[in-house]
Amino acid sequence: MGKLRAAQYACSLLGHALQRHGASPELQKQIRQLEGHLSLGRKLLRLGNSADALESAKRAVHLSDVVLRFCITVSHLNRALYFACDNVLWAGKSGLAPRVDQEKWAQRSFRYYLFSLIMNLSRDAYEIRLLMEQESSACSRRLKGSGGGVPGGSETGGLGGPGTPGGGLPQLALKLRLQVLLLARVLRGHPPLLLDVVRNACDLFIPLDKLGLWHCGPGIVGLCGLVSSILSILTLIYPWLRLKP
C-alpha cells in the first residue's frame, strides 16, 4: 500500500515537472493516466480499512491519558469516515455506482482526512509538550545537583531585568532560543515522534489543497505526498519507528 502511494505521488510530481519543462502532451497524458490507475488501485485495497479504523478507535477509548484518548479516538473515527467516503468514490470510478457525485464525495473524504490529521498533529504537540516538561525538569535537577544556575534565571542578570531598558527583549530571545534547543533535543531523542510530526505535516498539504483552503499546486502536493509515503514505508521496515500507542 505504501509503495503504491509513493508511486502515485511520484507520478504527480513527475507530471508537474514535465508540464513545467514543456514535455509532449501525449507523455503528460500517460503520466496522468498512470496516476489515476494507481489511485484507483489504492482505493480498491482500502475497502476494508473503515472497519480497521473503527477497531483502532475502540482500543483507543481505553487509554488512561484523557488527551491522548480524545485525540487518537477522534482521529481514528475520522479516518473511518474518510475510508467510507473513499469506498463510495471507488464504486463511482469503477462503474459500480455511476450516479455517484464524485466531486461531492471527494470533498467529504478530504474533509474527514483533514480532521484526522489535525487530531494527529494535536496529539504530537501534546506529547512534545510532555517530553519538553520532563526534559526541562531533568535539566533543572541536574543543574541544582551540580550547583549550577538555572538558564534564564537570576544568574543571567547581565541581560537586564524587566525594568532595565532593553533588558526584556534579550531575555525573551534567550528563553525562545532555549525552548527551540529543548524542542530539538526532545525530537532528536524520540525518532518515532519526529517521524510522525513530519509525516502528518506533509500530509496536511494534501487536503488543504484539495479543499481549496490553501492552494499549494500539484508540485508541492506531489512532493509532500512522496515524502510522507517514504516515511510510512520506513515505519513498516523498522516497526520501532512507529509512534505508540
Side-chain angles (χ1 to χ4, degrees), residues 223-241:
L223 178 61
C224 290
L226 180 59
V227 171
S228 170
S229 302
I230 292 172
L231 294 179
S232 297
I233 292 171
L234 281 178
T235 62
L236 295 175
I237 299 174
Y238 305 104
W240 65 273
L241 286 174

Side-chain angles (χ1 to χ4, degrees), residues 37 80 87-88 151 196:
H37 292 324
N87 294 343
V88 175
D196 200 65

Side-chain angles (χ1 to χ4, degrees), residues 150-163:
V150 179
S154 59
E155 288 79 1
T156 59
L159 292 173

Side-chain angles (χ1 to χ4, degrees), residues 12 100 120 162 228:
S12 176
V100 166
N120 289 344
S228 170

Side-chain angles (χ1 to χ4, degrees), residues 184-200:
R185 183 170 181 171
V186 164
L187 291 177
R188 187 172 63 246
H190 298 82
L193 182 56
L194 174 60
L195 209 70
D196 200 65
V197 170
V198 175
R199 187 176 62 181
N200 287 321

Side-chain angles (χ1 to χ4, degrees), residues 71-157:
C71 290
I72 296 175
T73 302
V74 174
S75 172
H76 283 310
L77 289 175
N78 276 283
R79 280 178 63 82
L81 292 169
Y82 161 67
F83 287 131
C85 292
D86 208 48
N87 294 343
V88 175
L89 278 172
W90 174 81
K93 290 185 176 182
S94 63
L96 293 177
R99 295 185 180 180
V100 166
D101 187 339
Q102 295 190 23
E103 180 63 26
K104 181 179 73 174
W105 282 97
Q107 290 291 302
R108 285 178 180 172
S109 69
F110 282 118
R111 199 174 297 121
Y112 290 127
Y113 186 32
L114 177 61
F115 290 155
S116 175
L117 291 172
I118 290 172
M119 286 295 102
N120 289 344
L121 287 168
S122 300
R123 176 258 183 100
D124 291 338
Y126 175 70
E127 295 219 28
I128 287 172
R129 186 178 71 84
L130 290 181
L131 290 170
M132 287 179 68
E133 288 177 354
Q134 293 173 9
E135 186 67 27
S136 181
S137 298
C139 286
S140 297
R141 286 195 299 270
R142 285 196 296 268
L143 285 169
K144 288 177 181 178
S146 62
V150 179
S154 59
E155 288 79 1
T156 59

Side-chain angles (χ1 to χ4, degrees), residues 25-61:
E26 183 62 29
L27 179 58
Q28 294 183 44
K29 181 181 177 182
Q30 289 176 354
I31 295 297
R32 284 195 300 269
Q33 287 177 343
L34 177 58
E35 182 186 353
H37 292 324
L38 289 170
S39 175
L40 193 61
R42 286 181 59 220
K43 284 176 169 50
L44 174 61
L45 293 175
R46 289 201 299 245
L47 286 178
N49 284 13
S50 285
D52 293 338
L54 286 174
E55 284 299 318
S56 298
K58 286 168 63 177
R59 289 194 297 270
V61 168

